[in-house]
Amino acid sequence: MTVFAIETATRQIEGFDRSRMVIRTFFDEATFTASHVVHDPASRLAAIIDPVLDYDPSSGRTSHGSADAVVDHIRNNDLTVDWLLETHAHADHLTAAPYLQEKVGGKIAIGHLITTVQGVFAKLFNTGDDFRHDGSQFDRLFEDGDQFNIGSVPVIALHVPGHTPADLAYVVGDSVFVGDTLFMPDYGTARCDFPGGDAQALYQSVRRILSLPDHTRLFMCHDYMAEGRDYYAWESTVAEEREHNIHVHQGVTEKEFVAMRTTRDRTLDMPRLILPSVQVNMRAGFFPEAEDNGTRYLKIPLDVL
């Protein structure tokens, strides 16, 4: 991770006119996932961040209600999709990126260390030689500090490992889409007990994000409605997180955070959709090839996790 990326992001945030960007969020209550559509009103170019494919684990059936709501928004607003951005290989929902690519276009992108995640889970699921661990299922792999645009809106990719080794946050205009790095202040931070997770790395990643200007808007990937709150929320600011985040507010030391996060993670159940999600998401959302009977299958490893 480079200091240059944060310095560049800070200058971008401080100089950005918020009227140059429109953000629309779609919340999937079944997986507690916030997907975001960002567009440049001047060019009508857009990016979709962390889209959801509906999946019923009891029947193994997929559907597209959540993704179709995004498609309707794109078409109703006459937008052209440039990017389908993944913050990481999610363990709690299947990505709808390939479905959306087919419907509205866009390049599927993720952090370049997805190759590490692919290597770990290829062994778990015994994917065989046909599955490549080189990230080639994605159209673009971003590294820390990489810059691109959504129309005239500048974007910087920030590597923010900890939840997984490959997590990215996207600094879009004056806002950061933080993935699973942070939650709303009253809920805290992401777990770090998946393969390659690291509480110390997460602490450093959070501090990196919270070094940005106070007014920087932060958009979450999830909200689980913290106790005492009766509505879902997915937007805060650097100042709010720095002051009020229950796990990592200003003054919490790295040692304190690592002890808290490690202890808490031991009490958590595995995500309900982790096994189907990871198998699909490490493939950029594409399903495994059909077997000789024409049916595609996902694997359930027994007595391993």
Side-chain angles (χ1 to χ4, degrees):
M1 296 187 289
T2 64
V3 174
F4 168 78
I6 289 295
E7 292 175 345
T8 304
T10 297
R11 288 194 297 270
Q12 173 179 302
I13 291 163
E14 290 177 337
F16 187 76
D17 176 359
R18 189 169 292 181
S19 68
R20 292 171 51 198
M21 178 174 67
V22 176
I23 300 171
R24 169 68 188 278
T25 298
F26 296 81
F27 190 77
D28 176 55
E29 193 167 344
T31 61
F32 307 103
T33 302
S35 304
H36 309 282
V37 178
V38 184
H39 82 263
D40 166 22
S43 66
R44 316 303 295 177
L45 294 175
I48 302 169
I49 303 171
D50 291 333
V52 174
L53 179 72
D54 300 321
Y55 175 75
D56 176 13
S58 61
S59 67
R61 298 199 67 86
T62 62
S63 56
H64 305 99
S66 298
D68 283 338
V70 174
V71 171
D72 289 345
H73 174 72
I74 295 295
R75 291 176 175 170
N76 291 341
N77 289 278
D78 194 28
L79 304 180
T80 299
V81 176
D82 253 3
W83 294 100
L84 297 156
L85 302 175
E86 301 286 356
T87 53
H88 63 294
H90 306 275
D92 36 33
H93 70 270
L94 282 66
T95 177
Y99 176 79
L100 290 167
Q101 187 176 57
E102 179 183 347
K103 294 291 183 181
V104 295
K107 300 176 287 293
I108 303 174
I110 201 166
H112 75 288
L113 288 181
I114 186 63
T115 55
T116 300
V117 175
Q118 288 176 326
V120 169
F121 284 103
K123 293 177 182 176
L124 175 65
F125 294 113
N126 196 28
T127 54
D129 295 336
D130 291 339
F131 176 70
R132 298 186 300 277
H133 310 169
D134 59 3
S136 58
Q137 300 85 352
F138 298 83
D139 299 310
R140 177 73 183 268
L141 302 181
F142 289 119
E143 298 190 33
D144 187 60
D146 279 352
Q147 299 180 52
F148 59 104
N149 287 77
I150 303 166
S152 66
V153 178
V155 185
I156 300 171
L158 296 182
H159 183 214
V160 287
H163 176 60
T164 81
D167 279 56
L168 283 186
Y170 295 98
V171 185
V172 184
D174 68 340
S175 302
V176 185
F177 296 84
V178 299
D180 282 10
T181 304
L182 279 166
F183 298 136
M184 293 299 290
D186 58 0
Y187 203 84
T189 56
R191 65 194 296 166
C192 299
D193 58 333
F194 298 147
D198 185 315
Q200 182 179 32
L202 182 64
Y203 180 87
Q204 294 167 358
S205 293
V206 169
R207 287 289 171 237
R208 197 173 191 225
I209 292 171
L210 298 187
S211 72
L212 294 169
D214 285 356
H215 68 277
T216 305
R217 294 186 292 176
L218 303 179
F219 287 87
M220 314 301 142
C221 182
H222 293 287
D223 185 58
Y224 301 99
M225 198 186 296
E227 186 176 352
R229 177 156 50 89
D230 61 0
Y231 58 92
Y232 292 109
W234 46 79
E235 179 182 350
S236 67
T237 67
V238 162
E240 290 166 352
E241 296 283 356
R242 192 187 295 136
E243 184 69 21
H244 300 296
N245 188 286
I246 60 172
H247 291 165
V248 71
H249 57 78
Q250 197 70 31
V252 174
T253 67
E254 182 177 289
K255 182 178 180 180
E256 290 169 337
F257 176 79
V258 170
M260 177 283 301
R261 188 70 265 174
T262 303
T263 300
R264 178 173 170 78
D265 287 349
R266 293 194 189 105
T267 72
L268 300 178
D269 294 331
M270 296 297 286
R272 183 174 64 99
L273 297 181
I274 184 171
L275 294 175
S277 293
V278 172
Q279 287 179 79
V280 171
N281 296 339
M282 71 181 186
R283 293 177 165 90
F286 295 98
F287 295 119
E289 291 295 325
E291 297 194 8
D292 56 11
N293 63 354
T295 300
R296 294 169 296 190
Y297 293 91
L298 298 175
K299 294 181 177 180
I300 306 295
L302 298 177
D303 302 320
V304 176
L305 297 178

